[in-house]
Amino acid sequence: MKKYVGLYLYNIKVYMMAQMSFRVDFFIGLLSSLVEQIVYLIFLNILFGNIKEIAGFNYGQMLFIYGIATVGRSIHLIFFDNLWMFGSRYIRQGEFERLLLLPVNPLFQLICERIQPQGIGTTVIGSLAIFQASQELGLTWSFWKLLLLFFISICIGLLYAAIQLGPTALGFWIVESFPLTMGIFSLNQMAQYPLNIYPRAIQFLLVFVFPYAFTAYFPALYFLDLSMWGLLLPVIVLITFAVNYSLFRHGMTKFTSVGG
């Protein structure tokens, strides 16, 4: 474990030193991330300027769902961004062969070779949304409840990554897995709205197939004292990762280098 922590910190240091050579690109990326989140908040305000609630959820509750999803999404963005590069870079260009030659887990090395610090801006926006929603709803936060919120936010980020690992692993067979991965990933936006506005088939998809409902809806319901299902999040993370990592390991047995 100590070896992996040291290696991860070293990779982050090297990557950040490289990124600081292109500071303009870094700040443009940070700005674009902030603009994306601000645009959604503007949309939410316009929406609730015309209606009072969605399926029984008021503005404060919807803002809280958005906030907790955004903080969790930012963790995924910062620490697991390299998964998006798997098909185009590591399979098509043959770089995965390099990972197989290293004395560490290939998936670990894949993840730690790139971080996206621009996601910090997304963390800030999500945290402000949670704060504002708490003011709107009169929520009170004890130390232990804040600690649980922090833990749940990390689990949400891990669940985003665990779900993404499945379609990413298909890159071993279809090479360019980005379009499929992006298509599945876009489902997470549906989880930022009450599940009961969707047909049962969509609800089933978001809970049992691609469990994005646990990246926003169910965790938020727990903190809003509306449901206990959000506490299953750590279990959902472990199950999703176990299934998709098994697919990834099976894909490794099918990998052939670009030269052979």
Side-chain angles (χ1 to χ4, degrees):
M1 178 61 73
K2 184 178 180 180
K3 178 182 74 171
Y4 278 90
V5 172
L7 180 60
Y8 187 80
L9 293 176
Y10 173 78
N11 274 279
I12 290 178
K13 178 182 177 181
V14 171
Y15 183 78
M16 288 302 298
M17 289 175 63
Q19 286 295 295
M20 287 300 99
S21 300
F22 305 94
R23 295 185 181 181
V24 174
D25 290 343
F26 171 81
F27 287 109
I28 289 176
L30 179 61
L31 180 62
S32 64
S33 178
L34 287 172
V35 169
E36 178 184 356
Q37 302 306 321
I38 291 172
V39 166
Y40 183 86
L41 287 175
I42 292 173
F43 163 76
L44 203 60
N45 278 274
I46 293 175
L47 179 64
F48 278 93
N50 293 280
I51 61 174
K52 291 185 177 181
E53 59 181 39
I54 298 177
F57 285 75
N58 60 33
Y59 171 72
Q61 292 169 322
M62 291 296 298
L63 185 62
F64 188 86
I65 294 174
Y66 162 80
I68 198 170
T70 301
V71 172
R73 170 71 180 91
S74 71
I75 293 170
H76 169 257
L77 175 63
I78 294 170
F79 297 105
F80 299 95
D81 192 61
N82 208 33
L83 288 175
W84 295 107
M85 309 295 293
F86 184 68
S88 60
R89 176 182 171 186
Y90 290 88
I91 299 298
R92 186 178 297 280
Q93 298 181 21
E95 286 201 34
F96 190 72
E97 186 173 9
R98 171 177 59 82
L99 302 190
L100 292 174
L101 297 175
L102 297 174
V104 294
N105 182 284
L107 178 60
F108 170 82
Q109 184 63 30
L110 168 68
I111 290 170
C112 74
E113 284 193 347
R114 173 187 169 92
I115 63 169
Q116 192 66 277
Q118 291 94 330
I120 294 173
T122 305
T123 309
V124 172
I125 294 294
S127 299
L128 290 175
I130 291 175
F131 176 79
Q132 179 61 34
S134 298
Q135 297 295 308
E136 290 271 346
L137 299 169
L139 299 180
T140 55
W141 296 92
S142 65
F143 171 78
W144 294 110
K145 202 168 185 179
L146 282 173
L147 194 62
L148 179 60
L149 177 64
F150 177 75
F151 174 71
I152 290 294
S153 297
I154 293 175
C155 286
I156 290 173
L158 293 175
L159 182 55
Y160 272 116
I163 297 173
Q164 184 182 356
L165 183 59
T168 295
L170 295 179
F172 286 114
W173 290 273
I174 63 176
V175 180
E176 187 51 79
S177 57
F178 180 83
L180 176 62
T181 306
M182 178 56 76
I184 293 173
F185 185 77
S186 64
L187 293 173
N188 81 85
Q189 298 176 11
M190 301 178 72
Q192 296 181 29
Y193 296 91
L195 280 189
N196 57 2
I197 69 173
Y198 302 117
R200 290 190 180 275
I202 300 298
Q203 294 182 37
F204 182 86
L205 186 72
L206 294 175
V207 174
F208 297 105
V209 182
F210 305 110
Y212 283 116
F214 286 90
T215 64
Y217 182 68
F218 285 131
L221 290 191
Y222 171 75
F223 288 105
L224 295 173
D225 294 323
L226 296 175
S227 171
M228 299 292 287
W229 286 106
L231 293 179
L232 286 177
L233 176 58
V235 177
I236 301 300
V237 172
L238 291 175
I239 293 173
T240 305
F241 176 75
V243 171
N244 288 339
Y245 184 57
S246 295
L247 178 64
F248 187 86
R249 285 179 60 86
H250 179 63
M252 287 172 55
T253 67
K254 305 297 181 182
F255 174 74
T256 55
S257 67
V258 292

